[in-house]
Amino acid sequence: TVLAPATVADAYTMLREAIRFPDPVVFLEPKKLYWTKEDVDLAALRAPFEDGAPAADPAVGKAVVAREGTDATLVAYGPSVSTALSAAEAAAAEGRSLEVIDIRSIVPFDDETVCASVRKTGRAVVISEAPGFASVASEIVARIQERCFHSLAAPVLRVTGFDIPYPAPKLEHFFLPGVDRILDAVDELQWED
């Protein structure tokens, strides 16, 4: 089981779920979250874990729709979710409605939520900070292509880190996917207008 939170609240609840989960869990901690400030109601988040009750909204194996949209789907996990949401906001200013899926759980993977979104929009861009070759993003693209082929209006694209060693901190903004790179990929999705 591999979990990747995108928000402070998710990090709190998903870590608690990982601790309670009966099998081993790899919990990816995006370093961006260490400095993120967010108001979180800890009492509400703690409630599902009290008295041994099952969690109300388990993250293990469940993706969430972080933003509704109709024109294309952005699939992201961990720190890439905030970048995808920023790109969706910028696209809205340009007249495009982008849906953002936060997969939260890399293993097991929620094909149902991702494929439902891609079938609805007909287009998909997968976003990840890791290099693109032989990566989680590559697997997600393959799964979408296999399961949604007849619903796709364009090839599934990836916006990832480059296939090079991770750069020094002063240069990582060149390496990581940004809003402009995501919007460029969305523009390449074979729009007819």
Side-chain angles (χ1 to χ4, degrees):
T1 301
V2 182
L3 303 178
T7 66
V8 173
D10 268 356
Y12 179 81
T13 55
M14 291 168 72
L15 183 57
R16 290 186 65 117
E17 286 183 41
I19 292 166
R20 286 180 20 165
F21 202 66
D23 295 326
V25 175
V26 174
F27 188 83
L28 304 176
E29 294 182 358
K31 65 181 181 180
K32 287 181 185 177
L33 286 183
Y34 292 152
W35 297 278
T36 302
K37 303 268 188 228
E38 183 179 313
D39 290 331
V40 177
D41 182 5
L42 291 181
L45 293 175
R46 208 175 283 123
F49 298 96
E50 314 253 323
D51 302 323
D57 182 24
V60 176
K62 191 69 182 143
V64 294
V65 178
R67 180 186 173 111
E68 295 280 340
T70 56
D71 294 335
T73 299
L74 303 180
V75 181
Y77 65 91
S80 298
V81 174
S82 62
T83 309
L85 289 168
S86 297
E89 190 68 35
E94 297 174 1
R96 288 219 169 106
S97 173
L98 302 181
E99 184 152 292
V100 178
I101 303 293
D102 175 3
I103 63 171
R104 301 171 79 210
S105 176
I106 297 171
V107 176
F109 188 78
D110 184 3
D111 287 302
E112 185 178 325
T113 302
V114 172
C115 290
S117 176
V118 173
R119 286 185 185 114
K120 177 176 84 170
T121 64
R123 294 174 170 84
V125 176
V126 178
I127 304 154
S128 172
E129 289 188 349
F133 183 78
S135 64
V136 171
S138 301
E139 178 62 23
I140 295 170
V141 169
R143 294 173 87 93
I144 292 171
Q145 195 74 23
E146 290 168 358
R147 290 163 176 79
C148 304
F149 181 77
H150 295 291
S151 301
L152 291 171
V156 181
L157 301 179
R158 288 179 294 173
V159 178
T160 64
F162 298 112
D163 293 326
I164 60 172
Y166 199 86
K170 288 184 178 182
L171 300 174
E172 70 180 5
H173 65 281
F174 293 112
F175 175 84
L176 298 173
V179 171
D180 290 337
R181 284 179 57 201
I182 295 169
L183 294 178
D184 288 346
V186 169
D187 288 342
E188 293 177 22
L189 290 175
Q190 299 180 359
W191 303 96
E192 283 135 34
D193 52 335

